[in-house]
Amino acid sequence: AEFSAWASVHQSSLMVGDDALSQVAKALKSLKENDQFHGALEQPPVFKAVRHWAGIERLKPEECEEWQSNSQLMFVLAELRRLEHYCRAAGMKVPLEQVLAGKDELPLPDGRRLRGGEIEIMKKETDETEDLPDLPPVDPRLWRKTFLWQIISAVTLALVMKISLWYQEEQTLASGNASREL
């Protein structure tokens, strides 16, 4: 019962998150398609105000006083505040670079992306190992053959070591006898 309650709460929070992301995607698409918005952004005072709003380049208070009378500037800031509202609900920052570039595509940290006013699941890039042929099936009795070869190798190594040590002892004894004779 506790798990199902947790799961339903978790599922509903995901739905709220996806709904908020969907709103961000729709707002990005709307801004991308809004020629009036992009036309206003081309005006130097509007562009400076947007950079001030984003905290990129702060302006002096005197330069901000005339903003209320500029309808194009107020329109752009209202659209950006609307996008900011949706971004906050989705728990993300305003993707200002995409907005200024006129794009509505935004990759998300979870592997999805916002594109065309919708949330898309990005396809995984093909892995190089997918092109390799499959390995042959493993014979379950193969371990016995492997174990047998390991034992044969160990016995052969032990015999070679024993013969080597025996030959070395013979050489040592022969050299010791030769030195005594002198």
Side-chain angles (χ1 to χ4, degrees), residues 21-46:
L21 284 174
S22 179
Q23 292 297 325
V24 171
K26 289 175 184 174
L28 284 173
K29 181 181 179 188
S30 170
L31 290 177
K32 176 185 175 184
E33 296 171 350
N34 192 335
D35 293 332
Q36 181 184 0
F37 178 80
H38 289 288
L41 277 176
E42 292 176 3
Q43 297 176 11
V46 174

Short mmCIF file of all heavy atoms in Angstrom, two decimals, residues 21-46:
data_model
loop_
_atom_site.label_atom_id
_atom_site.label_comp_id
_atom_site.label_asym_id
_atom_site.label_seq_id
_atom_site.Cartn_x
_atom_site.Cartn_y
_atom_site.Cartn_z
N LEU A 21 7.40 20.74 -19.15
CA LEU A 21 8.33 20.69 -20.29
C LEU A 21 7.60 20.88 -21.61
O LEU A 21 8.11 21.52 -22.53
CB LEU A 21 9.08 19.35 -20.30
CG LEU A 21 10.20 19.21 -19.28
CD1 LEU A 21 10.76 17.78 -19.31
CD2 LEU A 21 11.31 20.20 -19.54
N SER A 22 6.40 20.33 -21.69
CA SER A 22 5.60 20.51 -22.89
C SER A 22 5.26 21.99 -23.11
O SER A 22 5.29 22.48 -24.24
CB SER A 22 4.33 19.68 -22.78
OG SER A 22 3.53 19.84 -23.91
N GLN A 23 4.97 22.69 -22.02
CA GLN A 23 4.69 24.13 -22.12
C GLN A 23 5.93 24.91 -22.57
O GLN A 23 5.82 25.84 -23.37
CB GLN A 23 4.19 24.66 -20.77
CG GLN A 23 2.84 24.16 -20.36
CD GLN A 23 1.75 24.59 -21.33
OE1 GLN A 23 1.79 25.68 -21.89
NE2 GLN A 23 0.78 23.72 -21.55
N VAL A 24 7.10 24.49 -22.07
CA VAL A 24 8.35 25.13 -22.50
C VAL A 24 8.56 24.89 -23.99
O VAL A 24 8.91 25.80 -24.75
CB VAL A 24 9.56 24.61 -21.69
CG1 VAL A 24 10.87 25.09 -22.28
CG2 VAL A 24 9.45 25.02 -20.23
N ALA A 25 8.33 23.66 -24.44
CA ALA A 25 8.50 23.32 -25.86
C ALA A 25 7.57 24.15 -26.73
O ALA A 25 7.97 24.66 -27.79
CB ALA A 25 8.26 21.83 -26.07
N LYS A 26 6.32 24.30 -26.29
CA LYS A 26 5.35 25.09 -27.07
C LYS A 26 5.75 26.56 -27.10
O LYS A 26 5.61 27.22 -28.13
CB LYS A 26 3.95 24.92 -26.48
CG LYS A 26 3.36 23.55 -26.72
CD LYS A 26 2.03 23.38 -26.03
CE LYS A 26 1.50 21.96 -26.20
NZ LYS A 26 0.28 21.73 -25.41
N ALA A 27 6.25 27.06 -25.96
CA ALA A 27 6.67 28.46 -25.92
C ALA A 27 7.88 28.70 -26.83
O ALA A 27 7.95 29.71 -27.53
CB ALA A 27 6.99 28.87 -24.48
N LEU A 28 8.83 27.75 -26.84
CA LEU A 28 9.99 27.89 -27.73
C LEU A 28 9.56 27.87 -29.19
O LEU A 28 10.07 28.66 -30.01
CB LEU A 28 11.00 26.76 -27.46
CG LEU A 28 11.85 26.89 -26.20
CD1 LEU A 28 12.67 25.62 -25.99
CD2 LEU A 28 12.76 28.10 -26.28
N LYS A 29 8.63 26.99 -29.52
CA LYS A 29 8.14 26.93 -30.90
C LYS A 29 7.43 28.23 -31.27
O LYS A 29 7.62 28.77 -32.36
CB LYS A 29 7.19 25.74 -31.07
CG LYS A 29 6.66 25.60 -32.47
CD LYS A 29 5.70 24.45 -32.60
CE LYS A 29 5.19 24.40 -34.04
NZ LYS A 29 4.12 23.44 -34.20
N SER A 30 6.63 28.74 -30.34
CA SER A 30 5.91 29.98 -30.58
C SER A 30 6.88 31.14 -30.82
O SER A 30 6.69 31.94 -31.74
CB SER A 30 5.00 30.30 -29.39
OG SER A 30 4.47 31.59 -29.49
N LEU A 31 7.93 31.20 -30.02
CA LEU A 31 8.92 32.27 -30.19
C LEU A 31 9.69 32.10 -31.50
O LEU A 31 10.03 33.08 -32.16
CB LEU A 31 9.88 32.32 -29.01
CG LEU A 31 9.29 32.81 -27.69
CD1 LEU A 31 10.33 32.75 -26.58
CD2 LEU A 31 8.75 34.22 -27.83
N LYS A 32 9.98 30.88 -31.87
CA LYS A 32 10.70 30.62 -33.11
C LYS A 32 9.90 31.11 -34.32
O LYS A 32 10.45 31.68 -35.26
CB LYS A 32 10.99 29.13 -33.25
CG LYS A 32 11.65 28.76 -34.56
CD LYS A 32 11.80 27.26 -34.71
CE LYS A 32 12.36 26.90 -36.08
NZ LYS A 32 12.44 25.48 -36.28
N GLU A 33 8.60 30.90 -34.26
CA GLU A 33 7.73 31.24 -35.39
C GLU A 33 7.25 32.69 -35.35
O GLU A 33 6.58 33.14 -36.29
CB GLU A 33 6.53 30.29 -35.41
CG GLU A 33 6.92 28.86 -35.66
CD GLU A 33 5.78 27.88 -35.48
OE1 GLU A 33 4.70 28.29 -34.96
OE2 GLU A 33 5.96 26.71 -35.82
N ASN A 34 7.59 33.45 -34.31
CA ASN A 34 7.10 34.81 -34.14
C ASN A 34 8.06 35.80 -34.81
O ASN A 34 9.10 36.16 -34.26
CB ASN A 34 6.95 35.12 -32.65
CG ASN A 34 6.19 36.39 -32.39
OD1 ASN A 34 6.14 37.28 -33.22
ND2 ASN A 34 5.60 36.46 -31.21
N ASP A 35 7.70 36.24 -36.01
CA ASP A 35 8.55 37.18 -36.76
C ASP A 35 8.63 38.54 -36.07
O ASP A 35 9.67 39.21 -36.12
CB ASP A 35 8.02 37.35 -38.19
CG ASP A 35 8.16 36.07 -39.00
OD1 ASP A 35 9.08 35.28 -38.70
OD2 ASP A 35 7.35 35.87 -39.93
N GLN A 36 7.55 38.97 -35.43
CA GLN A 36 7.55 40.26 -34.72
C GLN A 36 8.57 40.22 -33.58
O GLN A 36 9.30 41.18 -33.36
CB GLN A 36 6.16 40.57 -34.18
CG GLN A 36 6.08 41.89 -33.44
CD GLN A 36 4.70 42.13 -32.82
OE1 GLN A 36 3.80 41.30 -32.94
NE2 GLN A 36 4.55 43.25 -32.14
N PHE A 37 8.64 39.10 -32.88
CA PHE A 37 9.59 38.93 -31.77
C PHE A 37 11.02 39.03 -32.28
O PHE A 37 11.84 39.77 -31.74
CB PHE A 37 9.34 37.58 -31.08
CG PHE A 37 10.29 37.27 -29.97
CD1 PHE A 37 10.10 37.82 -28.71
CD2 PHE A 37 11.36 36.41 -30.17
CE1 PHE A 37 10.98 37.52 -27.67
CE2 PHE A 37 12.22 36.10 -29.14
CZ PHE A 37 12.04 36.66 -27.89
N HIS A 38 11.33 38.30 -33.34
CA HIS A 38 12.71 38.31 -33.87
C HIS A 38 13.05 39.64 -34.54
O HIS A 38 14.20 40.08 -34.49
CB HIS A 38 12.93 37.14 -34.83
CG HIS A 38 12.96 35.84 -34.10
ND1 HIS A 38 14.01 35.45 -33.31
CD2 HIS A 38 12.04 34.84 -34.01
CE1 HIS A 38 13.76 34.28 -32.78
NE2 HIS A 38 12.56 33.89 -33.18
N GLY A 39 12.05 40.28 -35.13
CA GLY A 39 12.29 41.61 -35.70
C GLY A 39 12.62 42.62 -34.61
O GLY A 39 13.52 43.47 -34.78
N ALA A 40 11.93 42.53 -33.49
CA ALA A 40 12.21 43.44 -32.38
C ALA A 40 13.58 43.17 -31.77
O ALA A 40 14.27 44.09 -31.34
CB ALA A 40 11.12 43.32 -31.32
N LEU A 41 13.98 41.90 -31.73
CA LEU A 41 15.30 41.56 -31.17
C LEU A 41 16.45 42.14 -31.98
O LEU A 41 17.55 42.32 -31.46
CB LEU A 41 15.47 40.03 -31.10
CG LEU A 41 14.89 39.33 -29.89
CD1 LEU A 41 15.05 37.82 -30.02
CD2 LEU A 41 15.52 39.82 -28.61
N GLU A 42 16.20 42.43 -33.25
CA GLU A 42 17.26 42.99 -34.10
C GLU A 42 17.53 44.46 -33.78
O GLU A 42 18.56 45.00 -34.18
CB GLU A 42 16.88 42.82 -35.57
CG GLU A 42 16.90 41.36 -36.02
CD GLU A 42 16.43 41.17 -37.44
OE1 GLU A 42 16.13 42.17 -38.14
OE2 GLU A 42 16.36 40.01 -37.87
N GLN A 43 16.63 45.10 -33.07
CA GLN A 43 16.84 46.51 -32.70
C GLN A 43 17.85 46.58 -31.56
O GLN A 43 17.71 45.88 -30.55
CB GLN A 43 15.52 47.15 -32.26
CG GLN A 43 14.47 47.21 -33.33
CD GLN A 43 13.16 47.77 -32.81
OE1 GLN A 43 13.09 48.31 -31.70
NE2 GLN A 43 12.12 47.63 -33.61
N PRO A 44 18.91 47.40 -31.68
CA PRO A 44 19.95 47.46 -30.64
C PRO A 44 19.44 47.75 -29.23
O PRO A 44 19.89 47.10 -28.29
CB PRO A 44 20.90 48.56 -31.15
CG PRO A 44 20.70 48.57 -32.63
CD PRO A 44 19.25 48.20 -32.85
N PRO A 45 18.50 48.68 -29.03
CA PRO A 45 18.04 48.91 -27.65
C PRO A 45 17.34 47.68 -27.04
O PRO A 45 17.49 47.40 -25.85
CB PRO A 45 17.07 50.09 -27.75
CG PRO A 45 17.14 50.62 -29.12
CD PRO A 45 17.89 49.64 -29.95
N VAL A 46 16.60 46.96 -27.86
CA VAL A 46 15.90 45.77 -27.39
C VAL A 46 16.91 44.68 -27.04
O VAL A 46 16.82 44.03 -26.00
CB VAL A 46 14.87 45.27 -28.44
CG1 VAL A 46 14.25 43.95 -28.01
CG2 VAL A 46 13.81 46.32 -28.68
#
